[in-house]
Amino acid sequence: ANWEWYEYPIIYDLNDINDGLNNPVTNNNPSSYTLVTSTFTLKDPSKKGYSFLGWTGTNGSTPQKGVEITKGSTGTKTYTANWEANLYYVDFNHVINGQVRGNAKIGTADIYINGVQVANDVYDYYKQHPQGTSWKIMDIKPYPGYKYDDAMIYEGVVNGKAMSANVHWLSIVYKISFDANGGTCSETLREIPYEYTYQGKPLSGGG
């Protein structure tokens, strides 16, 4: 007679959280074992945007990593994956004349998280949110001295990385004219952006 070792099933509940982003759990553990299978350790599953806390089930109710199934074990094993959502920053960034200015007071916007307004007319927003969080930045308004002609709404979903809305502004350019009043002048007209400090001395001689 030919005999084979009976295979005991290992049943996994991957507790795959549906965040709407189609990031399934990856689990590379065996689905069965026998009485003579060498001792092995369950591998950690993975899911983008989440940290694995450990297995519960046959090993107990406290999440545990490194669960071993020892040689000589018998019976069906059941394990449930436990997860914790990672947090990622949603960042309302200002870009003025092509240069990132972070939380500079250039203008304001309203911030919506998961469809709910969480900030009104703020010049800065920098907070952490879990995977799958939807965000929207709208009602963008410039402060005096600046103008805005970029996208009216920035929106997205947190998906495994920090989210930055790089809102682009332009400073309004003002013209300064110089009158030498009888003397000489190295320049007669200069265009400068808002908040620019003029330190030149274009005048020489004369009154």
Side-chain angles (χ1 to χ4, degrees):
N2 295 316
W3 300 90
E4 292 183 353
W5 293 103
Y6 179 78
E7 291 192 351
Y8 297 100
I10 306 174
I11 300 171
Y12 302 96
D13 177 0
L14 298 179
N15 198 16
D16 194 354
I17 302 166
N18 181 13
D19 53 23
L21 297 176
N22 193 28
N23 294 320
V25 173
T26 299
N27 180 37
N28 295 317
N29 285 300
S31 59
S32 64
Y33 73 101
T34 70
L35 183 69
V36 294
T37 298
S38 297
T39 297
F40 64 94
T41 301
L42 295 183
K43 299 176 182 178
D44 292 352
S46 63
K47 179 176 175 63
K48 184 178 180 180
Y50 295 84
S51 294
F52 176 66
L53 300 179
W55 298 105
T56 53
T58 299
N59 59 307
S61 59
T62 301
Q64 177 187 359
K65 293 184 178 182
V67 172
E68 282 191 350
I69 298 179
T70 57
K71 184 176 181 179
S73 296
T74 59
T76 299
K77 308 290 186 185
T78 59
Y79 298 102
T80 298
N82 295 269
W83 305 96
E84 181 177 60
N86 298 334
L87 297 178
Y88 303 92
Y89 279 104
V90 175
D91 191 5
F92 173 31
N93 273 333
H94 296 276
V95 178
I96 175 66
N97 296 337
Q99 183 179 15
V100 176
R101 293 280 294 276
N103 64 347
K105 295 182 178 181
I106 299 168
T108 63
D110 296 342
I111 314 296
Y112 290 78
I113 298 296
N114 291 329
V116 178
Q117 186 174 359
V118 297
N120 177 57
D121 286 340
V122 293
Y123 65 85
D124 183 38
Y125 185 85
Y126 185 62
K127 291 186 179 180
Q128 289 182 316
H129 296 281
Q131 176 95 347
T133 298
S134 66
W135 57 271
K136 182 181 292 186
I137 296 174
M138 56 190 301
D139 194 19
I140 303 169
K141 294 178 289 195
Y143 279 167
Y146 299 94
K147 59 182 178 179
Y148 181 75
D149 58 1
D150 206 355
M152 297 311 297
I153 296 177
Y154 288 79
E155 59 185 326
V157 177
V158 176
N159 188 7
K161 63 180 180 179
M163 311 298 291
S164 289
N166 294 316
V167 179
H168 291 255
W169 312 81
L170 293 173
S171 58
I172 297 175
V173 174
Y174 299 89
K175 294 182 179 181
I176 296 179
S177 58
F178 304 96
D179 182 357
N181 194 23
T184 59
C185 186
S186 60
E187 58 183 324
T188 58
L189 180 68
R190 176 177 290 198
E191 293 185 347
I192 63 171
Y194 187 69
E195 290 185 335
Y196 177 88
T197 300
Y198 179 72
Q199 296 177 328
K201 296 182 180 180
L203 304 180
S204 62

